[in-house]
Amino acid sequence: IHPMHIAHSQEVRGYSFMVFFALAATITVLDGGRRPAFRQQAMLVLTGLGAGLSNLQGMLWMGGLALGLAAGGRLRPRELARWALPFALIVLLLAPWWMTMFQVHETARLLPGVETGEGLRGDTTWTAWALPWAGFVLSFGRTLGPTVAELHTGAAPTPALVATAALAAILVLILGVAGIRRMGHRAIEPLMWPLPVIVVAVFLAVRN
């Protein structure tokens, strides 16, 4: 029922499959508790591979899940080792596709001394508003705000559209903060999930 995922599924691209498999991996991690059974370890490997093969950026999602387990503080070292095995297998089995991902993103241009700046600008120019906007879109959908086409053309949204999107964003923020506060110290784990994506996005934008 999420507007953004419906739009992606109608484009018949890999994003919908990545979200499906990555959410399945997330449920597996949450259900696995402290000591995941073998079937849960196997399910995590299969869903992690499905996410990574649907779109290699799914590896960032898997990285967020692993980071959450490591930083959440609810697992002892021996229990962490049981979780580390399936994540290591995911990384190993996806290794043949790494170079493909690097070529797609043209990471050579992001190295020091190589062309950056104007050579990467245009549609990829980044603004700090990208992070809260992405959070709003991913949590609520994009039908209440400017469309992607409007964002690319630079058209100014109407005041009514801004007001509607602002009210929806405030609602999302209130619900998010309330949920995090209710989880207490356990909130560290889900807060770590988006960190790899945010770090990579900001790094690429700064290099640009």
Side-chain angles (χ1 to χ4, degrees):
I1 63 173
H2 195 290
M4 188 188 70
H5 297 310
I6 292 174
H8 278 317
S9 68
Q10 291 171 342
E11 293 173 354
V12 199
R13 300 176 70 183
Y15 300 118
S16 296
F17 294 102
M18 184 193 75
V19 170
F20 171 81
F21 287 116
L23 285 175
T26 304
I27 293 173
T28 302
V29 167
L30 293 175
D31 286 345
R34 293 179 177 274
R35 296 176 59 84
F38 173 77
R39 62 180 177 82
Q40 291 169 321
Q41 291 175 312
M43 182 61 68
L44 179 57
V45 172
L46 292 175
T47 52
L49 289 177
L53 291 175
S54 299
N55 188 298
L56 280 172
Q57 295 180 50
M59 291 185 65
L60 296 176
W61 192 316
M62 297 302 106
L65 290 179
L67 184 62
L69 287 170
R74 65 181 177 92
L75 301 178
R76 302 182 182 91
R78 183 175 295 182
E79 295 167 344
L80 276 174
R82 293 178 66 91
W83 279 111
L85 177 61
F87 282 107
L89 282 174
I90 292 172
V91 172
L92 181 65
L93 294 173
L94 287 177
W97 286 269
W98 289 355
M99 291 308 297
T100 301
M101 179 174 67
F102 293 154
Q103 291 168 4
V104 168
H105 289 284
E106 298 184 87
T107 53
R109 295 199 300 171
L110 301 174
L111 298 176
V114 184
E115 179 187 2
T116 55
E118 293 300 327
L120 289 174
R121 291 186 186 276
D123 289 342
T124 62
T125 301
W126 186 78
T127 170
W129 284 104
L131 292 178
W133 172 254
F136 168 67
V137 169
L138 291 171
S139 59
F140 204 97
R142 65 185 179 197
T143 55
L144 291 179
T147 65
V148 174
E150 289 171 341
L151 290 173
H152 279 290
T153 57
T158 64
L161 188 59
V162 172
T164 304
L167 288 174
I170 291 172
L171 174 62
V172 168
L173 186 63
I174 292 173
L175 292 175
V177 171
I180 292 297
R181 289 187 60 186
R182 184 166 183 171
M183 293 184 70
H185 69 278
R186 293 180 57 226
I188 297 175
E189 187 170 341
L191 286 174
M192 292 294 104
W193 292 348
L195 193 59
V197 176
I198 293 173
V199 169
V200 170
V202 172
F203 170 76
L204 294 176
V206 170
R207 290 304 302 161
N208 186 22

